[in-house]
Amino acid sequence: MNLPVISGTGVFTPKESIGNDELVAAFDAYVDLHNAQNAQEITDGTQERLEYSSAEFITKASGIESRYVMNKSGILDPKIMRPQLRQRTDSEPSIMAEMALDAAQKALAQAGVDASAIDVVIVAASNHERAYPAVAVEVQALLGTGGFAFDMNVACSSATFGIQAASDMIKSGSVQRALVVNPEICSAHLEWRDRDCHFIFGDVCTATVLEAKDSARDGHFDILSTRCATQFSNNIRNNDGFLRRTRPDNMKDRRDMQFMQNGRKVFKEVLPMVSAHMLGHLNEEQIAPDSLSRMWLHQANKSMNDFIGRKVMGRTPTPEEQPNILQDYANTSSAGSIIAFSKYSDDLQAGDIGIICSFGAGYSVGSVLLRRA
Ligand code: CO8
C-alpha cells in the first residue's frame, strides 16, 4: 500500500477586501433606503422594519474583522447588495477555474511537482459555477494535468472529504499524485441584505497536492489517517438548484435561494459532534489529544473554535497550537482550515502531529491527521 502525503498547498486571495466598519455603513444605508421606500407597508404591518447592523456585534459574536471578496463595489452599493461579476464567454476560463489555477500553481510549486504529473484533479467546494461540464475538467485542461477530474460538494467539509478521496486513491495505487482545489465564491450565495448573516462569508481558493510518499520531496506531511462523518440537518440550507425554473414563481429572489442558517442551533449541535469526532479519531490512532502540536480548524466562528480547542486538548490551547485566520478571511467554507494549514505549518518539526478538521452544512465533519516527515 502507498503512503499518502501532503507535499504542497497554495492560497489564492482576492485583491479586494471589506472591513466590518465599511460593511456596516453600506448595510445601514440599505436599511435607510428600504425603510423609506416601504414606509407605508411598514406602518400597515405588511413589511418588516429593518434594524441597523453593528461592527461591534460582528466582532464580538464571530471574531470576524474583515473578508476578501471577488467584487466589492456591488456588495457595498445599497441599491445592489451583491457581487457583480462579468459574464465570461464559453471560450474564456470560468471564474472558479481562474481562481483554482492560481492556488494550484502555488501548491504545485511548493510540492516541486509538474502539473503533467498529476493524475486526478478534484474541485471540492460548496457551490460550482455551472451544472456541467465539471469545473475540475476545465482546471485539468488549463493546467495540463493527465488522468481524470471531477467536482464534489460537501459544503464546508468539501476540502477534507476531497483529501480523504484523494488519499484513498493514492493508498490503493489507482493514482500517484492528486490535486484537491477549493474555489469558494461565498459572496455570491450570501444574502448581504440580512443582518443576521451579512458579515459571515468571504471568497478565496485553496489547493492541496497529495502524492505517494516515495515520490514526495522533503518537508511533506504524512497523512496518518482521515475520518469523515455526516448527519442530516436543515439548520444550514440553500434551496436554490436546477429545479427552480420548474416552480410557478421562479423563486428568483426568495430568501431561501441564498444561504440560510439557524446559527444558534448550529452552534449547539455541531460543537459536541465535532469534539467527539476529533477525540474519536485521535483515540483510534492512539494519539494523546494534548500531545497535538497543532489544530487547523474550520474557520466559522472564534468562540466555536475556542470551545472545540478546549474540549479536545483538555486545556486552553495556545494561539500557536490553534491558529485562526477568520479575523482576516471570515468564513470561507471548505477553504478555511486549509488556509490555516497553509499559513501555519512551516514551523512544525519532524515527528510533530497536527489535525485538520472542517465542519458545516450537512451536517458534515472531516478530519485529517498529519505528521511532519
Ligand atoms: N448587528 C447587530 N445585531 C445583530 C446582528 C448584527 N449584524 N445580527 C444579529 N443581531 C442580533 C439578533 O437579532 C439578536 O437580537 P435579539 O437577541 O434581540 O433577538 C442578537 O443580535 C443575537 O443574535 P444571534 O443569537 O443570532 O447571535 P449569535 O451570538 O448566535 O451569533 C452567529 C450569530 C455569529 C451567526 C453564530 O450563531 C454562529 O457563528 N453560529 C455558527 C455558524 C456556523 O458555523 N455556521 C456554519 C455555516 S457555514 C457552512 O456550513 C457552509 C455552508 C455553505 C457555504 C455558504 C456560503 C454563502
Side-chain angles (χ1 to χ4, degrees):
M1 187 179 75
N2 291 323
L3 291 176
V5 308
I6 291 180
S7 53
T9 53
V11 180
F12 161 79
T13 303
K15 290 191 192 79
E16 300 186 328
S17 66
I18 303 176
N20 285 348
D21 286 337
E22 53 185 338
L23 181 75
V24 167
F27 180 87
D28 290 353
Y30 162 73
V31 168
D32 288 339
L33 205 64
H34 174 275
N35 289 345
Q37 280 172 351
N38 297 284
Q40 190 56 53
E41 290 83 348
I42 291 167
T43 309
D44 297 345
T46 54
Q47 272 273 1
E48 202 188 335
R49 182 180 180 78
L50 299 183
E51 304 289 333
Y52 289 144
S53 184
S54 144
E56 200 192 351
F57 170 86
I58 295 170
T59 313
K60 198 158 164 268
S62 68
I64 296 165
E65 293 164 22
S66 191
R67 70 281 298 142
Y68 291 95
V69 291
M70 294 299 283
N71 169 255
K72 176 172 175 169
S73 57
I75 294 168
L76 293 187
D77 184 334
K79 294 202 185 80
I80 301 173
M81 301 294 278
R82 60 175 181 275
Q84 294 201 296
L85 301 172
R86 183 179 66 81
Q87 172 72 54
R88 304 282 171 99
T89 65
D90 288 358
S91 55
E92 289 178 284
S94 58
I95 302 168
M96 283 178 76
E98 209 166 74
M99 295 165 80
L101 208 61
D102 182 278
Q105 280 161 346
K106 288 172 181 157
L108 290 165
Q110 192 185 56
V113 166
D114 192 80
S116 61
I118 296 289
D119 305 310
V120 59
V121 176
I122 304 175
V123 169
S126 305
N127 275 277
H128 292 88
E129 191 162 337
R130 57 174 175 264
Y132 40 82
V135 176
V137 181
E138 187 184 0
V139 173
Q140 178 193 19
L142 291 169
L143 279 172
T145 67
F148 61 104
F150 62 92
D151 290 351
M152 60 181 277
N153 175 358
V154 203
C156 286
S157 294
S158 300
T160 50
F161 279 52
I163 287 173
Q164 164 154 311
S167 166
D168 286 350
M169 285 184 228
I170 291 167
K171 271 191 209 163
S172 75
S174 66
V175 306
Q176 176 78 9
R177 293 185 190 83
L179 177 68
V180 180
V181 198
N182 322 105
E184 294 285 6
I185 312 180
C186 298
S187 64
H189 44 109
L190 174 60
E191 180 49 87
W192 295 91
R193 297 171 297 183
D194 181 344
R195 118 178 147 140
D196 287 343
C197 68
H198 76 116
F199 53 89
I200 291 181
F201 289 103
D203 303 334
V204 82
C205 179
T206 50
T208 307
V209 174
L210 294 91
E211 53 187 312
K213 190 172 173 68
D214 57 13
S215 66
R217 65 153 66 154
D218 288 350
H220 57 260
F221 283 84
D222 296 333
I223 298 179
L224 299 178
S225 62
T226 58
R227 203 179 205 234
C228 295
T230 47
Q231 182 186 302
F232 187 68
S233 166
N234 279 319
N235 286 324
I236 310 169
R237 191 165 171 130
N238 180 338
N239 283 328
D240 200 4
F242 80 104
L243 290 180
R244 188 176 71 187
R245 67 190 285 271
T246 67
R247 311 264 159 72
D249 62 353
N250 199 24
M251 305 191 298
K252 233 181 184 161
D253 209 25
R254 213 171 77 180
R255 180 63 190 87
D256 65 341
M257 296 294 106
Q258 313 298 335
F259 164 85
M260 302 267 289
Q261 79 163 352
N262 188 336
R264 276 279 151 115
K265 272 202 173 156
V266 172
F267 220 103
K268 236 176 103 191
E269 293 173 4
V270 166
L271 288 184
M273 187 178 165
V274 174
S275 318
H277 177 98
M278 289 175 75
L279 286 167
H281 190 173
L282 291 166
N283 188 41
E284 242 171 42
E285 294 295 327
Q286 299 183 320
I287 292 167
D290 73 346
S291 71
L292 283 175
S293 298
R294 200 136 306 165
M295 283 184 288
W296 301 281
L297 298 180
H298 176 51
Q299 302 285 314
N301 183 295
K302 185 174 182 305
S303 315
M304 229 167 166
N305 285 4
D306 289 348
F307 179 96
I308 293 167
R310 275 196 306 274
K311 193 88 185 157
V312 170
M313 280 208 155
R315 60 177 170 81
T316 303
T318 64
E320 290 72 31
E321 287 172 323
Q322 188 206 293
N324 284 324
I325 54 88
L326 60 84
Q327 64 281 3
D328 304 318
Y329 281 85
N331 182 344
T332 50
S333 193
S334 72
S337 57
I338 308 299
I339 305 174
F341 173 67
S342 185
K343 289 191 185 294
Y344 297 101
S345 53
D346 266 4
D347 60 314
L348 292 197
Q349 304 297 308
D352 284 351
I353 292 179
I355 189 167
I356 298 175
C357 185
S358 66
F359 41 89
Y363 298 129
S364 57
V365 193
S367 51
V368 181
L369 204 47
L370 298 171
R371 183 180 53 216
R372 187 85 197 232

